[in-house]
Amino acid sequence: RGWITKAIYDGDTIVGFAMYGYSEEKDFFEICRLMIDHKFQRQGFGKKALSLIIEEMSKNKQCSEIYISFEPENYSAKKLYEEFGFENTGKILDDEMLYCLKI
């Protein structure tokens, strides 16, 4: 348990980072950061990273749901997460929409 932080690379160039794991405070598994530098957005890095993160988190037998939150006006994030099956929980967490993926 705890947080895993990973850099996202394109060859030798860092294009973003991710932080995910089990939140003791919230009592659920979450992807708390998935950030791609604006210069590298819309090139598939977020989609590939999200796929790998979900795959890795799914290997944990205790992980049956993964939560992620984002600002309501971030339509690109909303579209990406919904493509992977994340669904709106109807809850707001720190002014962000909270989505959940059931594994």
Side-chain angles (χ1 to χ4, degrees), residues 62-93:
Q62 296 174 313
C63 181
S64 60
E65 297 177 323
I66 299 171
Y67 288 85
I68 197 163
S69 64
F70 57 95
E71 295 183 4
E73 61 276 2
N74 189 342
Y75 301 110
S76 296
K78 180 181 187 293
K79 182 176 179 283
L80 175 64
Y81 302 148
E82 288 177 349
E83 282 178 22
F84 277 85
F86 283 87
E87 295 181 356
N88 191 343
T89 64
K91 296 179 181 166
I92 302 294
L93 182 67

Side-chain angles (χ1 to χ4, degrees), residues 5 8-9 16 18 23-24 31 36 40 50-51 66 73 77 96:
T5 305
I8 301 166
Y9 283 90
S23 171
E24 296 279 344
I31 301 170
I36 305 296
F40 299 101
L50 184 57
S51 176
I66 299 171
E73 61 276 2
E96 294 186 343

Side-chain angles (χ1 to χ4, degrees), residues 21-23 26-31 54 57-58 60-68 86-87 89 91 98-103:
Y22 180 76
S23 171
K26 298 172 190 152
D27 192 32
F28 58 62
F29 287 87
E30 75 171 319
I31 301 170
I54 292 169
M57 292 180 82
S58 297
N60 184 328
K61 302 280 187 263
Q62 296 174 313
C63 181
S64 60
E65 297 177 323
I66 299 171
Y67 288 85
I68 197 163
F86 283 87
E87 295 181 356
T89 64
K91 296 179 181 166
L98 184 65
Y99 272 51
C100 178
L101 174 67
K102 297 196 183 321
I103 310 250

